[in-house]
Amino acid sequence: MEILYLLIPLSVVLVFVIGAAFWWSLKSGQYDDLEGPGHRVLMDDDKPERGKADE
């Protein structure tokens, strides 16, 4: 029964830490564009890069 005096406050603190981390990730724009990086990987550049051989 005494362990509850430790576990309940610890779980409340953990919930606040996880909530703060989630709030920070929302404010920093982590979830703004979820599909863009996936589409950028699939896009192929049609123009070759200019190197020293082209000059």
Side-chain angles (χ1 to χ4, degrees), residues 35-46:
E35 295 179 6
H39 291 289
R40 259 184 258 123
V41 169
L42 297 174
M43 288 183 175
D44 190 20
D45 293 335
D46 291 336

Side-chain angles (χ1 to χ4, degrees), residues 3-55:
I3 194 67
L4 290 178
Y5 295 127
L6 175 68
L7 290 178
I8 291 175
L10 188 63
S11 65
V12 170
V13 168
L14 187 62
V15 164
F16 280 117
V17 168
I18 292 172
F22 181 70
W23 181 78
W24 171 81
S25 68
L26 284 176
K27 293 297 178 185
S28 67
Q30 295 291 321
Y31 303 110
D32 283 350
D33 185 14
L34 296 177
E35 295 179 6
H39 291 289
R40 259 184 258 123
V41 169
L42 297 174
M43 288 183 175
D44 190 20
D45 293 335
D46 291 336
K47 299 177 187 175
E49 292 185 20
R50 297 189 111 192
K52 294 191 182 221
D54 292 339
E55 294 176 357

